[in-house]
């Protein structure tokens, strides 16, 4: 829908009920109204979360620069920019994007994925902080000033 709107195209959504006794013009309009209503309410919030998470990821990664690694390493201690607001802003941004995706689809698997990612990111952050504490003496003061995820 967003791509079609952006490019001036048409969004086609096919609704077909296999039970012809239930299938009517009114049932089609009722179903379409309910879908569009949920998209207007939840979809806007979901897309805002996905966008905020994506932008936040770009900023966090830009600040990390060459310090970014897949496996936790203590290359450089970053405490400015987004790292002045949260010790793990990249994880916060990723969780926002995943929460938005879960909200967009409104499926149980989405909620399970979002919770699972939150748990795994928390575990990873604990492991990373052990490495950073060992490597940088100033990390203890940084931990006192800045919360892990900005709000927790």
């Amino acid at each position: 829908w967003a791509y079609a709107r952006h490019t001036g195209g048409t969004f086609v959504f096919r609704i077909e009920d296999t039970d012809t006794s239930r299938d009517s013009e009114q049932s089609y309009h009722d179903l379409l109204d309910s879908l569009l209503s949920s998209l207007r309410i939840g979809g806007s919030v979901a897309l805002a979360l996905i966008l905020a998470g994506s932008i936040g990821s770009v900023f966090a990664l830009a600040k990390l620069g060459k310090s970014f690694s897949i496996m936790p390493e203590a290359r450089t201690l970053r405490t400015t920019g987004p790292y002045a607001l949260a010790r793990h802003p990249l994880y916060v941004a990723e969780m926002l994007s995943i929460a938005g995706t879960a909200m967009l689809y409104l499926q149980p698997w989405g909620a399970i994925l979002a919770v699972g990612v939150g748990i795994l990111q928390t575990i990873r952050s604990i492991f990373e902080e052990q490495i950073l504490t060992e490597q940088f003496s100033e990390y203890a003061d940084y931990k006192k000033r800045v919360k892990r995820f900005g709000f927790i």
Side-chain angles (χ1 to χ4, degrees), residues 128-141:
E128 285 180 358
E129 290 191 352
Q130 290 172 347
I131 293 170
L132 291 166
T133 300
E134 292 169 5
Q135 194 72 20
F136 301 104
S137 59
E138 62 268 33
Y139 196 75
D141 290 333

Side-chain angles (χ1 to χ4, degrees), residues 9-85:
T10 303
F11 178 72
V12 177
F13 185 79
R14 182 177 177 183
I15 301 172
E16 183 177 341
D17 195 335
T18 56
D19 184 351
T20 55
S21 66
R22 286 189 314 219
D23 192 22
S24 69
E25 191 68 24
Q26 183 59 42
S27 68
Y28 166 77
H29 288 291
D30 291 344
L31 184 57
L32 190 57
D33 285 343
S34 70
L35 287 170
L36 292 176
S37 174
S38 66
L39 183 60
R40 282 189 293 269
I41 297 166
S44 299
V45 173
L47 292 174
L49 287 172
I50 293 168
L51 184 63
S54 298
I55 291 169
S57 292
V58 169
F59 280 118
L61 286 169
K63 187 64 179 175
L64 268 179
K66 293 185 180 193
S67 296
F68 174 76
S69 66
I70 301 298
M71 297 304 294
E73 295 180 38
R75 295 180 183 168
T76 308
L77 181 59
R78 304 285 185 201
T79 60
T80 60
Y83 293 86
L85 304 173

Side-chain angles (χ1 to χ4, degrees), residues 80-94:
T80 60
Y83 293 86
L85 304 173
R87 295 193 311 260
H88 302 278
L90 181 57
Y91 296 168
V92 173
E94 290 171 349

